[in-house]
Amino acid sequence: MIVWGGVFMLSASQLSLAREKVETSGLAPHLQLSETVCDLGAIARNEKITHTITLKNTGSAPLAIKCIYTSCGCTTAKAKRTHLRPGQSTDLTIVINTSPLVTEPTREVYIQTNDPTQPDAVFTASLQVVNDSGSRNLHSSN
């Protein structure tokens, strides 16, 4: 272990050994999503739709949600809590803005955690943007 500027740093071999100990001891966090895919259906253009999923730690050690990011700027995602004890859960609220800039029929939310078996989880939402005339538009055009 190296201490540099008040920060503890582990070498690659020490980090690997620590992961190995966690995996073999059976004490590890595990992220479970209430759903990984959702079809939001037809959404009017220039509307915002909100969808909430549940993130749960079904493991036997604390789960840290390190980072949440989305596939596009028209989508945001925010978890109420970023640290979950075993058995705890939290809501992840996803907001999609169907402005005229929406060009893809799917949006992804990426969730990075300290789960050793699934450090990167993905939630995918599909939708169809409906114009005022009622016609569906998956790709915007002027």
Side-chain angles (χ1 to χ4, degrees):
M1 176 176 10
I2 300 169
V3 178
W4 183 67
V7 176
F8 291 99
M9 298 176 69
L10 297 176
S11 69
S13 62
Q14 289 170 321
L15 186 58
S16 177
L17 182 60
R19 275 195 196 125
E20 195 174 297
K21 284 182 181 178
V22 166
E23 290 171 6
T24 58
S25 70
L27 297 176
H30 180 70
L31 175 64
Q32 180 180 30
L33 280 64
S34 59
E35 59 185 321
T36 57
V37 177
C38 179
D39 183 354
L40 299 173
I43 311 298
R45 181 171 296 288
N46 295 318
E47 294 292 323
K48 287 184 180 180
I49 183 156
T50 301
H51 185 76
T52 302
I53 65 171
T54 302
L55 307 178
K56 184 173 183 175
N57 180 6
T58 59
S60 55
L63 177 77
I65 299 169
K66 297 177 180 180
C67 181
I68 298 172
Y69 59 99
T70 63
S71 59
C72 145
C74 68
T75 304
T76 61
K78 184 171 181 166
K80 285 189 177 180
R81 284 190 249 158
T82 57
H83 290 85
L84 302 174
R85 292 187 310 268
Q88 258 187 333
S89 60
T90 190
D91 287 342
L92 176 69
T93 303
I94 302 154
V95 179
I96 301 172
N97 182 353
T98 62
S99 70
L101 300 176
V102 173
T103 59
E104 296 295 323
T106 60
R107 293 290 177 259
E108 287 83 26
V109 177
Y110 305 98
I111 306 149
Q112 293 180 338
T113 70
N114 65 332
D115 179 341
T117 60
Q118 176 185 257
D120 301 298
V122 180
F123 169 79
T124 303
S126 61
L127 64 139
Q128 301 83 41
V129 177
V130 179
N131 292 325
D132 293 335
S133 62
S135 63
R136 290 182 178 193
N137 182 16
L138 296 179
H139 299 280
S140 60
S141 59
N142 293 338

